[in-house]
Amino acid sequence: MGLDTFAAHTPEDIELTEDDLQAFKDANISLCGGIFSGDGCDGSFRGKVYAEYVLDVTGESLYSEWLPPDTVTEMYQSMAAYELARALEVEEMDPMDLAHSGLCKFFKVCSERGLGLVGWS
């Protein structure tokens, strides 16, 4: 079973505004794309590749038909905290120097723009 994940304003409408699309492009995101989804820069990615990690770190499943914006914001916060904790375990560093993963950047854009996620499988 495949899974494509799309950022969206509502569960019924996955059309993003030009400003939304530009925010994804500006974030310099690189994710695995699927048959119908892109590489993260267009507001979508192949969710199946990241589903287990997302569930482990956030407790939420990308296989949900709709994850509302508040949930996506909580997921972003969990991912960012996890990535920071992992980075600090590996080496002493200034937290401001942390370069987040493409997935974390994707969730950050969604959080900042009030976007939820539609899972299409």
Side-chain angles (χ1 to χ4, degrees):
M1 174 198 267
L3 171 67
D4 287 330
T5 304
F6 299 87
H9 289 277
T10 69
E12 296 82 24
D13 182 14
I14 62 170
E15 291 292 321
L16 297 176
T17 67
E18 288 299 319
D19 287 343
D20 294 331
L21 293 171
Q22 190 60 51
F24 282 107
K25 288 177 187 162
D26 290 347
N28 194 26
I29 298 167
S30 179
L31 296 172
C32 182
I35 294 174
F36 299 106
S37 62
D39 61 0
C41 288
D42 68 348
S44 66
F45 62 93
R46 185 169 184 220
K48 181 178 181 177
V49 173
Y50 305 98
E52 188 174 327
Y53 168 82
V54 169
L55 182 61
D56 288 348
V57 172
T58 71
E60 297 288 343
S61 174
L62 290 178
Y63 283 95
S64 302
E65 288 182 27
W66 171 244
L67 292 165
D70 289 348
T71 300
V72 173
T73 295
E74 291 172 5
M75 293 169 77
Y76 161 65
Q77 292 167 344
S78 294
M79 256 184 243
Y82 174 80
E83 289 186 6
L84 177 60
R86 295 286 306 188
L88 293 174
E89 283 177 8
V90 173
E91 60 185 78
E92 290 185 28
M93 64 179 291
D94 182 340
M96 298 307 292
D97 291 337
L98 176 66
H100 284 291
S101 69
L103 192 61
C104 192
K105 291 179 192 178
F106 185 94
F107 276 76
K108 181 179 182 182
V109 171
C110 289
S111 177
E112 291 172 346
R113 303 206 53 86
L115 299 169
L117 295 175
V118 172
W120 189 77
S121 54

